[in-house]
Amino acid sequence: MPKSVIIPPGTGMPIAPFVPGTLADGVVYVSGTLPFDANNNVVHVGDAAAQTRHVLETIKKVIETAGGTMEDVTFNSIFLTDWSNYAAINQIYAEYFPGDKPARFCIQCGLVKPDALIEIASVAHIGKQEA
């Protein structure tokens, strides 16, 4: 099965061996996305809502670069560092998924940089692409 690497314009160099997204058979797999700027610095330190918005905007760019929209998202994996941020995260999340919500899970864990409060990985079905 052929696959295409998805790298939106202006994307910085990842801190590990991965790409922002991969498109295969009409499905976009978006890597775990942290609230990083182009230099891999954490943005909006201490603000879970702003970090969530930044992460979802980054995911949106990956999906749009692949030819889809946020409405195509079918599954999200959400990682947060503290349950006290859950309500703020959900408030922003609901703005990006106002209609039928994607399936998801949410777990509390440590993240690669201590100032990062959230990480999200997504799957979007954008339809079969012509070869």
Side-chain angles (χ1 to χ4, degrees):
M1 165 180 54
K3 66 179 182 180
S4 301
V5 170
I6 307 299
I7 303 174
T11 299
M13 183 65 95
I15 62 172
F18 68 91
V19 294
T22 302
L23 173 63
D25 202 26
V27 180
V28 180
Y29 301 91
V30 181
S31 293
T33 304
L34 291 148
F36 288 171
D37 64 15
N39 297 315
N40 296 314
N41 297 308
V42 176
V43 297
H44 310 296
V45 173
D47 187 339
Q51 285 191 8
T52 301
R53 185 175 309 283
H54 184 88
V55 165
L56 289 169
E57 282 296 320
T58 303
I59 289 169
K60 181 179 176 184
K61 289 176 189 170
V62 174
I63 292 169
E64 288 177 348
T65 299
T69 70
M70 291 297 274
E71 291 179 1
D72 298 319
V73 174
T74 56
F75 191 81
N76 288 306
S77 303
I78 303 171
F79 307 90
L80 58 103
T81 59
D82 191 320
W83 287 115
S84 67
N85 293 321
Y86 190 66
I89 289 167
N90 279 328
Q91 182 178 354
I92 303 304
Y93 183 90
E95 292 176 19
Y96 284 81
F97 302 104
D100 292 335
K101 310 292 186 247
R104 76 178 207 183
F105 70 78
C106 187
I107 62 170
Q108 180 178 332
C109 62
L111 297 175
V112 69
K113 288 197 178 183
D115 287 333
L117 303 174
I118 184 163
E119 179 174 353
I120 301 175
S122 300
V123 177
H125 289 254
I126 65 171
K128 299 243 182 202
Q129 303 297 307
E130 298 299 321

